[in-house]
Amino acid sequence: VVNNPELRAWQQSANDMMIEFTAHTEGRWNVDVFDLNGRKVTNAFAGDLKAGENRVIQFDIEAFVSGVYMIRFSNGDTGSMQRIPILR
């Protein structure tokens, strides 16, 4: 059985995105944002999480243009991705 980390992201307002994630294993985790060309736009979170630890972060998207982005939550061994549109 493979335990994939959980990831959920949504646009809260014109300038904010909420990102919720849960690690299934202890270790160093990253939340990265990519454009649809696969270019890394930014890192929204980098830190150590315990197994089962859940976080919700508010992420500033004021500088982002309208479009579709990919959010990746990973630790190097496993990860999850979610596509999210940003609307202005």
Side-chain angles (χ1 to χ4, degrees):
V1 174
V2 176
N3 285 328
N4 289 325
E6 296 176 20
L7 171 67
R8 192 169 75 102
W10 64 96
Q11 188 170 349
Q12 183 75 11
S13 69
N15 296 325
D16 293 306
M17 176 192 309
M18 302 301 290
I19 305 173
E20 179 178 15
F21 46 92
T22 304
H24 289 288
T25 59
E26 184 172 341
R28 183 92 174 151
W29 288 87
N30 289 290
V31 175
D32 296 307
V33 181
F34 297 86
D35 65 18
L36 284 184
N37 293 318
R39 288 184 298 246
K40 183 176 172 180
V41 176
T42 192
N43 175 271
F45 172 84
D48 294 324
L49 298 172
K50 293 180 171 60
E53 187 173 350
N54 177 269
R55 295 270 180 102
V56 178
I57 62 170
Q58 185 172 348
F59 181 67
D60 182 4
I61 57 171
E62 186 174 1
F64 285 40
V65 297
S66 292
V68 178
Y69 294 83
M70 298 298 294
I71 311 296
R72 181 178 70 187
F73 176 53
S74 65
N75 71 351
D77 294 327
T78 186
S80 293
M81 290 190 85
Q82 180 182 335
R83 180 180 251 194
I84 182 166
I86 293 179
L87 307 171
R88 296 278 171 218

